Amino acid sequence: MKQEIMTIVSQKQLAPRIFQMTLTGELVNEMKKPGQFIHIKVPRADLLLRRPISLNQIDQQAKTCTIIYRTEGDGTKEFSMMTSGDKLDVMGPLGNGFDVDCLNKGQKAFVVGGGIGIPPMYELSKQLKQRGVEVIHFLGYASKEVAYFEEEFLALGDTRFATDDGSFGVEGNVGNLILEAIKTEQPDAVYACGANGMLKMIAQVFPDQPNVFLSLEQRMACGMGACYACVCHVPDDETGTKSVKVCDEGPVFRASEVVL
């Protein structure tokens, strides 16, 4: 992990409250694993805590990285008003990312994303495709209005969509897509990022699959494992006191390693 003042290359709005920002700097040389995140300082003196945002794309040759974020509070709203050439204080890459080495050419991966958990799945899918893995995407949104990156995922392979209101793809949550798919096909690994309920469902659907990797969403403060603000309990802990830290021991865990 390093810290650097990175420069914004571009920023555009993808959907209501959803923005895509590309940054450049030497820090990109450290970014290799999908699922890791960067910790960004808000350029306002009254906002002390950094904001953790997952990496959407890594381009080592261009020395750029891309993030996609949703404006939730003052910090992310501040980011959304910045433009090309502006500077940001960035720490990273942080956390453990997705394991792509467990799969080989010809094997099949289910890549599942829900809402603002979709962005890191794009870099993951790119790296899996580079290994010759067959990738099937399952993406869930609240509605067509807030859908984004559909064409980008379709360009990488089979992509299936669900929306809560049925305005795009199958009506309902992304779990419906998974349950339909496993009637005819089984993956060699499952990767997922999204709301806790979606991750819990995936863990329940694939109880005997060892390669189920879940990226947990938690509120973080330090991002480096010092403050214990983002702990998650572990299974088979009779004392109820054992836990893992999502920021530096995650955010990606095998489904068998955490209690959701």
Side-chain angles (χ1 to χ4, degrees):
M1 184 274 294
K2 293 184 178 180
Q3 182 176 0
E4 182 182 321
I5 304 299
M6 300 187 75
T7 303
I8 297 174
V9 175
S10 63
Q11 172 148 247
K12 63 180 178 181
Q13 187 166 1
L14 302 179
R17 297 173 55 209
I18 305 290
F19 293 83
Q20 181 185 41
M21 177 190 288
T22 298
L23 298 154
T24 186
E26 296 299 320
L27 197 59
V28 177
N29 294 328
E30 310 295 321
M31 302 173 184
K32 297 182 173 62
K33 204 165 185 180
Q36 289 187 298
F37 66 94
I38 54 178
H39 219 200
I40 308 175
K41 187 177 189 303
V42 182
R44 251 176 61 177
D46 61 323
L47 299 176
L48 301 179
L49 295 179
R50 291 172 177 266
R51 268 50 174 181
I53 302 178
S54 61
L55 291 164
N56 164 249
Q57 295 178 66
I58 304 165
D59 188 333
Q60 297 280 357
Q61 281 194 322
K63 286 192 176 179
T64 61
C65 66
T66 300
I67 57 173
I68 293 177
Y69 62 96
R70 180 170 60 202
T71 54
E72 297 283 0
D74 289 345
T76 45
K77 286 178 183 174
E78 197 74 24
F79 294 154
S80 71
M81 293 185 287
M82 301 181 76
T83 60
S84 173
D86 287 345
K87 309 286 186 181
L88 278 173
D89 183 332
V90 179
M91 290 171 54
L94 293 168
N96 291 308
F98 291 108
D99 179 1
V100 298
D101 296 330
C102 67
L103 293 180
N104 296 308
K105 183 178 180 180
Q107 291 188 295
K108 181 183 296 183
F110 281 7
V111 173
V112 188
I116 202 62
I118 290 172
M121 313 314 283
Y122 184 69
E123 177 64 28
L124 167 68
S125 185
K126 282 172 56 181
Q127 294 195 18
L128 289 171
K129 292 285 290 184
Q130 289 167 3
R131 296 178 66 87
V133 174
E134 179 189 354
V135 180
I136 303 178
H137 310 110
F138 302 88
L139 306 182
Y141 306 90
S143 68
K144 172 62 178 174
E145 183 186 25
V146 295
Y148 60 94
F149 249 55
E150 307 100 300
E151 296 301 323
E152 288 83 352
F153 278 100
L154 283 166
L156 294 178
D158 186 353
T159 305
R160 307 170 191 185
F161 301 99
T163 50
D164 294 342
D165 64 0
S167 55
F168 177 50
V170 172
E171 182 175 359
N173 61 50
V174 73
N176 296 337
L177 297 174
I178 301 291
L179 295 175
E180 184 64 26
I182 60 175
K183 293 178 181 176
T184 58
E185 51 196 341
Q186 288 293 326
D188 297 293
V190 182
Y191 302 88
C193 183
N196 202 56
M198 185 193 85
L199 302 182
K200 190 172 184 178
M201 181 280 296
I202 290 171
Q204 291 171 342
V205 170
F206 301 100
D208 301 320
Q209 168 57 264
N211 293 322
V212 176
F213 301 96
L214 307 177
S215 181
L216 275 56
E217 295 179 342
Q218 286 276 3
R219 289 187 178 276
M220 299 178 188
C222 74
M224 298 181 292
C227 70
Y228 286 79
C230 58
V231 296
C232 179
H233 288 293
V234 299
D236 301 324
D237 173 25
E238 295 180 357
T239 66
T241 57
K242 296 179 182 178
S243 60
V244 290
K245 292 170 288 184
V246 173
C247 65
D248 71 333
E249 295 176 87
V252 178
F253 298 94
R254 289 182 186 270
S256 58
E257 295 175 334
V258 290
V259 176
L260 299 170

